[in-house]
Amino acid sequence: MVTRQTESMRLKNQVAKTEVYLSGAGVLRRPINLRCLRIGRDRSNDISPQGVGLSRKHAQLRNTSKGWIVEDLGSKNGTFVAGARVERAVLPARAELRFGGVVMLFEHCQQRYAPVSTTLPGMLGSHPSVLRLTDFVRRVAPTSVPVVIRGESGVGKELIAQAIHELSGARGRLVNVNCGALNTQLVGSHLFGHVRGAFTGADRDRTGAFEAATDGTLFLDEIGEMPLDVQAQLLRTLECGTVTRLGEVKERTVSARIICATHRDLEEAVQEGRFRLDLYHRLMVFPLQVPPLRERRNDIITLATAFLQRDGGGYFLSSEAEQRLINYPWPGNVRELKNSIQRATILCAGSEIMEEHLGLAADPFGRLQPPTGREALFAAIVAQRGNLARTARCLGVSRSTIYRQLKTEGLDGLSKQALLDQAQERSSWSGPAGNIA
């Protein structure tokens, strides 16, 4: 028989053996030592977070026999757990809570010591793919091995590189080189440096990125765009640990950790002779895949709210705007989301962001948003006129994945036109494919 006294003792022991944390919206991460914690705008509450849409007495967290629960106290703008509005809900070990427009993080840990943070500097998100990426970043950061960050444009590859550098404890600085923004001569000059007179316009000596990143990190963005002759020089530097400035014969010792990023399919580039196989194997020690935003939709509102709070002005999202953000395909990923929020704050006359303020097209760039599975594959092939490279980018997968799916369907080895004909027969999408010229 369970009495009130034994239940009270059990709860007391539970509190002693676990630690609960609440953070965000101006509240520093700290343990909760109360069995009931009230949250609201009024200062009489236990916590009064910063933000808009918060009622005077909004919600409370309580420790019960079923675990920690959150209860709405009749608030105007609602209480949400992982994006779903609730009146009362049992909380998991880690949950994103939203009180009106205020987003906070709840953590229930089964140890007396504070757990290692599951977030990265500058990164937000609680999707399993993000947490897995965070774990990989924390594991590889203290090492010196090369890292290749892969993902679509706008997913935040540079933020991952910055996080690896910050967590590495390196004494030197982080040096960025965008290989896709420079011509062949300038890439070599930026990486290895040059001496005066090495080429037209070289009116003074220049220290290269490798030297500037000594005892630090060299981040090579868009590594897939690097010219082949510069790839050969890069490979030599990685193997020998020395650089030679353009126009000079003297070798200089360098020691910089290499992090690369690309949205290209490097395996395809190797097969087509646009990327050196030996450099590929030298760099691909620890690849990291950053998920596109459409695959982590439960993080969208968290990110949007963070961007709104960063812009200031007390903005919050209407329910229609939230639904639009969640349903939008986000071809430009987090970068596009940030731009949309910035646009909305300019157009919004009050504090509530409406759907029309976001400026999101119903079908961005006329892109196909097909269903998943076989139908998605065939619809994408039709939409991309049989071009498998574009089909892979459309679906957000590698080209090798497309080949494997085609082999499973018995369609490998077909010509482009034959493949397109088969895809049209098997797809319900009736877009403008036509014959291939």
Side-chain angles (χ1 to χ4, degrees):
M1 178 177 179
V2 179
T3 64
R4 286 189 178 183
Q5 184 177 5
T6 57
E7 177 66 8
S8 176
M9 291 177 63
R10 191 197 68 78
L11 288 176
K12 184 176 181 180
N13 291 334
Q14 179 180 341
V15 172
K17 294 177 182 178
T18 65
E19 293 201 359
V20 177
Y21 294 84
L22 192 66
S23 59
V27 177
L28 297 178
R29 187 175 184 275
R30 63 184 185 188
I32 300 174
N33 299 318
L34 303 173
R35 291 202 185 98
C36 182
L37 185 81
R38 287 181 176 266
I39 300 166
R41 190 176 69 250
D42 194 280
R43 294 297 178 182
S44 64
N45 293 284
D46 299 301
I47 289 183
S48 299
Q50 300 173 4
V52 297
L54 194 67
S55 298
R56 292 181 67 252
K57 294 184 178 180
H58 198 107
Q60 65 182 12
L61 300 178
R62 286 198 302 117
N63 192 5
T64 71
S65 59
K66 295 182 179 180
W68 280 89
I69 65 171
V70 61
E71 294 175 316
D72 188 84
L73 299 178
S75 66
K76 178 181 178 181
N77 295 310
T79 298
F80 299 78
V81 178
R85 187 164 185 167
V86 299
E87 295 297 326
R88 184 179 186 272
V90 177
L91 295 175
R94 190 175 189 275
E96 175 198 292
L97 306 180
R98 183 159 60 84
F99 309 104
V102 175
V103 179
M104 304 190 75
L105 179 65
F106 170 86
E107 297 171 281
H108 188 190
C109 311
Q110 298 297 326
Q111 61 265 3
R112 171 54 70 180
Y113 54 89
V116 176
S117 173
T118 55
T119 58
L120 296 175
M123 295 290 291
L124 287 174
S126 58
H127 189 273
S129 62
V130 176
L131 298 182
R132 185 168 56 252
L133 175 64
T134 297
D135 178 55
F136 289 161
V137 167
R138 290 190 178 277
R139 288 172 183 267
V140 76
T143 72
S144 60
V145 302
V147 176
V148 176
I149 306 171
R150 315 180 76 163
E152 299 176 8
S153 295
V155 294
K157 296 188 289 293
E158 186 172 350
L159 285 177
I160 299 297
Q162 291 174 348
I164 294 173
H165 174 72
E166 291 181 21
L167 296 172
S168 69
R171 292 177 298 170
R173 63 191 184 98
L174 174 67
V175 178
N176 295 351
V177 175
N178 189 331
C179 303
L182 303 169
N183 62 37
T184 302
Q185 189 178 56
L186 290 180
V187 170
S189 172
H190 271 70
L191 286 178
F192 312 113
H194 65 252
V195 296
R196 180 180 178 182
F199 52 85
T200 303
D203 55 354
R204 66 189 68 182
D205 291 354
R206 177 193 175 105
T207 299
F210 263 104
E211 292 181 71
T214 296
D215 296 328
T217 304
L218 177 59
F219 176 48
L220 302 178
D221 199 6
E222 300 299 347
I223 185 69
E225 312 301 324
M226 180 176 285
L228 281 170
D229 57 340
V230 180
Q231 291 180 31
Q233 298 177 62
L234 173 60
L235 178 63
R236 183 181 181 281
T237 298
L238 294 177
E239 292 178 341
C240 302
T242 61
V243 297
T244 302
R245 293 183 179 180
L246 299 183
E248 190 178 57
V249 295
K250 175 184 176 181
E251 291 187 343
R252 302 169 184 264
T253 301
V254 292
S255 58
R257 201 258 187 84
I258 302 298
I259 300 177
C260 305
T262 182
H263 70 282
R264 299 289 188 190
D265 187 332
L266 291 184
E267 291 78 12
E268 179 181 337
V270 169
Q271 292 177 355
E272 296 178 355
R274 294 182 286 106
F275 200 85
R276 293 178 62 105
L277 179 61
D278 46 7
L279 179 59
Y280 171 87
H281 288 302
R282 186 67 177 80
L283 294 174
M284 201 65 70
V285 179
F286 201 91
L288 293 173
Q289 186 72 39
V290 185
L293 188 56
R294 64 180 175 274
E295 292 182 4
R296 40 183 290 225
R297 294 189 182 276
N298 63 328
D299 288 338
I300 291 175
I301 302 303
T302 301
L303 290 165
T305 303
F307 292 145
L308 284 174
Q309 293 176 349
R310 190 178 303 171
D311 287 339
Y315 299 105
F316 66 97
L317 295 164
S318 68
S319 58
E320 292 80 8
E322 286 189 356
Q323 199 59 45
R324 184 73 183 103
L325 292 177
I326 292 172
N327 293 334
Y328 186 72
W330 299 112
N333 293 292
V334 180
R335 183 186 296 127
E336 184 182 7
L337 173 61
K338 182 179 180 180
N339 293 343
S340 177
I341 294 299
Q342 288 179 331
R343 167 192 168 90
T345 58
I346 295 172
L347 296 178
C348 181
S351 58
E352 185 176 18
I353 302 294
M354 307 301 291
E355 180 180 358
E356 57 266 24
H357 297 147
L358 298 171
L360 299 176
D363 189 17
F365 309 114
R367 292 180 181 222
L368 173 69
Q369 298 300 323
T372 58
R374 300 174 66 252
E375 178 63 22
L377 172 63
F378 297 135
I381 291 174
V382 173
Q384 303 302 329
R385 297 172 56 82
N387 186 302
L388 296 184
R390 291 202 300 266
T391 297
R393 287 195 291 272
C394 174
L395 295 175
V397 299
S398 67
R399 193 171 178 182
S400 58
T401 299
I402 299 295
Y403 285 134
R404 285 195 299 271
Q405 289 179 314
L406 290 177
K407 187 174 182 179
T408 301
E409 296 291 335
L411 299 177
D412 56 319
L414 297 181
S415 67
K416 184 181 289 188
Q417 184 63 58
L419 176 60
L420 180 60
D421 292 340
Q422 286 292 323
Q424 285 178 299
E425 289 181 9
R426 304 185 188 200
S427 173
S428 62
W429 190 76
S430 56
N435 291 333
I436 300 173

